[in-house]
Amino acid sequence: MEQIFNPYLPLTEYVPDGEPHEFDGRVYIYGSHDKAQGKVYCEEDYVTWSAPVDNLRDWKYEGVIYRKEQDPSNADGKMQLWAPDVTKGPDGRYYLYYCYSFYPEIGVAVSDSPAGPFEFYGHVKYPKSLHDGKTLDDHMPFDPAVLTDDDGRVYLYWGFAPACEKEMILPDFSDEEIAQMPPEKQEMMKTIKRIKFVVDSQVAELESDMLTLKEAPRKLIPSGKTSEGTGFEGHAFFEASSIRKIKGKYYFVYSSHKSHELCYAVSDKPDRDFVYGGTIISNGNIGLDGNDKPTYTLSNNHGGIVKAGDDYYIFYHRCTDGNEFSRQGCAEKIVIEDDGTIKQVEMTSCGLNGGALRASGMYPAGIACHITSATTMSSIDFNDPIMQKQTRMVERQNTTYITDIEDGTTVGYKYFDFDNVKEVLLEVRGEFGGVIELSGDFDLKEKYASSRINIDADNWQLVSIPVEISAKNKALYISFTGNGSLELKSIGFR
């Protein structure tokens, strides 16, 4: 039987900001498009992947659906396509909403197929009665989300509120510091310095042309200090708007000012009266069962909910390569309780698999859902976007592996079904002498095995650690103690 793991797309594919939608029996994932060793956000054109709604293990590449230079505002292709969303309009066509690199405009493209390709259609604008019909360029049109309701009415959502915790989200660099940065990052940081203000999340209904606002934008949920006394304290709006209608209620998913977490708010109406619900997922498991230390380097987050069969899933992303410019999509099953609440779920390696992975054969090390070490960062360090000494997953020459494994590093995988496993295999290279411990928990209370290792090799070597494991749905944590540095390409079982 086929299996799938997190990230659910090939490890050489980088589609963050994933918005999953079910159209005509398939789930399509729409997101921005990073690349390995990225230098800025979203350097590539939009692509989409799809899978049968009854088999989320089988993802198909649908190709490039929209190129960044197709919009006349970006004919030279210098700006990057940021997080998009798609809806099926009342006319049966599919509409793609997107934005560029803090450029104050929401673009729209259209296609007869959810798989694209999409063609430029126009820019979101005011009606003639408001601002004389000008293009929407205020209220920071950013991270658009769109909903076609059951009655055919269409609602557009957007917003950006960086001033909530700007010391963490948007560091205040001097002009001299910016001048020392790589050219591609200088423009982004100059833009950031210009937009340090609070904009609450926004909503407005669209006309049937899918371009024109019916009304002036209105606040949806609060951000920053405006959240005091609202129930959103500590989890106020930052960015990453996403909207779904589920069981007759409207679920607004967003990234809070903590950046690493996706939270949700619920209402009986699509455009008002939203009440804070909770955190769905953190890409470092912060807040899960009271945890306050990252189990994976924290980065920004963006995603949405989809129903596939009888189950619901949250799509999100994680960082790789020690920066926020090479992000990969992941997904986890969630449960929406009868009272409408969603309990926070953990990051796993098995994601959409429908259960634990088989502890048999080889797996890429990059499916680790837990990476901690002395260099694990509580957030991305914008002073050093390529942190060369952080334990992290990287891609080099189309090969993925975990690098800079040193004393105190733990790499974890959840979950496996172990059936009389006699050996755990590690494909490694580097120079390292010390002890590797295998356990079922991060605290090493449930030890599987311990083995001394001495590696001095530039080429990949297979290390075998004898074990005796027969258990269902168990974690595997690999902890390293010693001197030197290793790289880990694969793990395996026999």
Side-chain angles (χ1 to χ4, degrees):
M1 181 180 178
E2 62 187 329
Q3 295 191 115
I4 193 169
F5 33 73
N6 274 328
Y8 57 89
L9 299 180
L11 286 176
T12 53
E13 180 67 290
Y14 302 82
V15 179
D17 307 320
E19 286 289 351
H21 290 282
E22 188 271 317
F23 296 126
D24 302 327
R26 295 186 70 84
V27 172
Y28 292 81
I29 187 72
Y30 304 97
S32 50
H33 197 189
D34 291 349
K35 67 179 183 180
Q37 303 181 66
K39 303 300 182 184
V40 295
Y41 297 113
C42 317
E43 295 182 66
E44 306 282 61
D45 295 325
Y46 287 148
V47 299
T48 194
W49 293 70
S50 73
V53 72
D54 59 353
N55 185 7
L56 297 186
R57 301 182 186 91
D58 184 20
W59 288 88
K60 172 189 174 185
Y61 178 58
E62 301 285 0
V64 174
I65 62 169
Y66 195 66
R67 301 183 313 278
K68 55 188 174 183
E69 70 273 11
Q70 283 183 245
D71 188 319
S73 293
N74 193 44
D76 59 6
K78 289 184 177 180
M79 294 187 291
Q80 290 78 47
L81 284 165
W82 284 7
D85 198 12
V86 170
T87 190
K88 186 175 183 179
D91 62 358
R93 296 196 295 173
Y94 298 87
Y95 291 85
L96 170 73
Y97 292 76
Y98 60 90
C99 64
Y100 285 109
S101 308
F102 288 125
Y103 190 73
E105 195 172 72
I106 292 177
V108 187
V110 67
S111 174
D112 291 327
S113 167
F118 288 79
E119 298 296 331
F120 176 72
Y121 180 63
H123 297 116
V124 174
K125 60 184 180 179
Y126 284 101
K128 187 68 175 177
S129 60
L130 284 174
H131 306 296
D132 199 30
K134 73 167 186 172
T135 297
L136 174 70
D137 61 1
D138 50 1
H139 302 287
M140 194 57 205
F142 180 88
D143 281 1
V146 61
L147 171 73
T148 301
D149 210 345
D150 300 334
D151 58 5
R153 297 172 72 176
V154 182
Y155 299 88
L156 183 66
Y157 307 76
W158 70 92
F160 186 60
C164 305
E165 289 189 3
K166 65 182 180 183
E167 70 278 4
M168 178 180 73
I169 304 302
L170 301 177
D172 192 10
F173 292 113
S174 67
D175 292 339
E176 291 75 17
E177 289 173 316
I178 292 176
Q180 300 302 312
M181 296 178 181
E184 63 273 7
K185 193 178 178 189
Q186 288 185 32
E187 289 305 312
M188 183 178 72
M189 298 312 296
K190 288 176 183 177
T191 302
I192 284 173
K193 285 178 73 69
R194 291 197 298 268
I195 59 170
K196 287 188 176 178
F197 52 83
V198 173
V199 176
D200 291 315
S201 65
Q202 303 290 312
V203 62
E205 187 176 353
L206 289 174
E207 295 282 4
S208 59
D209 66 0
M210 307 296 283
L211 286 176
T212 308
L213 301 183
K214 275 190 175 183
E215 57 189 344
R218 291 179 287 107
K219 181 173 76 173
L220 189 74
I221 65 171
S223 60
K225 294 180 179 179
T226 67
S227 68
E228 294 177 5
T230 67
F232 286 83
E233 299 92 342
H235 305 276
F237 176 81
F238 170 41
E239 61 179 357
S241 299
S242 178
I243 187 73
R244 298 292 185 273
K245 189 175 185 180
I246 302 172
K247 300 179 182 179
K249 292 185 178 294
Y250 299 88
Y251 283 76
F252 182 72
V253 175
Y254 65 96
S255 172
S256 81
H257 63 256
K258 297 181 186 298
S259 191
H260 59 80
E261 66 178 11
L262 294 182
C263 299
Y264 74 99
V266 186
S267 176
D268 292 324
K269 302 180 182 66
D271 57 353
R272 67 196 69 199
D273 301 336
F274 278 82
V275 176
Y276 178 72
T279 298
I280 301 177
I281 195 162
S282 156
N283 58 28
N285 285 326
I286 297 295
L288 182 70
D289 299 325
N291 178 56
D292 61 358
K293 296 180 179 179
T295 58
Y296 194 100
T297 295
L298 302 180
S299 67
N300 65 19
N301 210 346
H302 190 149
I305 296 173
V306 73
K307 183 181 182 184
D310 295 329
D311 297 321
Y312 290 90
Y313 298 87
I314 181 69
F315 282 64
Y316 64 104
H317 67 236
R318 67 177 196 182
C319 67
T320 70
D321 219 348
N323 65 58
E324 282 192 342
F325 310 133
S326 301
R327 300 158 297 171
Q328 294 183 313
C330 298
E332 309 291 350
K333 183 179 177 180
I334 62 174
V335 176
I336 300 179
E337 303 291 351
D338 291 340
D339 63 0
T341 59
I342 304 172
K343 183 179 179 181
Q344 184 174 345
V345 294
E346 64 179 340
M347 295 174 68
T348 73
S349 301
C350 49
L352 298 172
N353 197 54
L357 301 167
R358 295 190 303 273
S360 176
M362 301 297 292
Y363 291 90
I367 71 171
C369 58
H370 177 117
I371 300 178
T372 56
S373 70
T375 57
T376 299
M377 301 292 293
S378 60
S379 63
I380 293 297
D381 182 354
F382 281 90
N383 283 297
D384 185 9
I386 309 296
M387 293 179 287
Q388 295 298 330
K389 291 302 293 181
Q390 183 191 32
T391 307
R392 65 205 186 279
M393 200 281 278
V394 301
E395 178 192 337
R396 301 290 185 268
Q397 299 178 330
N398 295 318
T399 300
T400 62
Y401 51 92
I402 297 174
T403 189
D404 285 299
I405 296 172
E406 299 179 339
D407 180 61
T409 295
T410 297
V411 179
Y413 302 85
K414 294 181 177 180
Y415 291 92
F416 288 106
D417 282 339
F418 295 93
D419 184 9
N420 196 29
V421 171
K422 300 295 185 182
E423 292 177 274
V424 170
L425 307 173
L426 306 179
E427 190 175 8
V428 298
R429 70 182 180 189
E431 184 176 347
F432 187 86
V435 174
I436 297 177
E437 292 185 279
L438 307 180
S439 64
D441 64 335
F442 176 58
D443 296 325
L444 301 178
K445 295 178 180 177
E446 187 180 358
K447 290 187 179 181
Y448 297 148
S450 180
S451 180
R452 182 161 291 279
I453 181 176
N454 283 287
I455 291 289
D456 187 358
D458 294 330
N459 298 319
W460 297 108
Q461 307 289 316
L462 201 61
V463 173
S464 173
I465 302 176
V467 295
E468 293 282 348
I469 317 175
S470 288
K472 300 292 185 182
N473 200 43
K474 297 294 291 185
L476 173 66
Y477 287 88
I478 308 169
S479 298
F480 299 81
T481 304
N483 299 311
S485 180
L486 274 182
E487 295 177 329
L488 176 63
K489 179 182 177 183
S490 307
I491 65 169
F493 311 91
R494 61 187 178 197

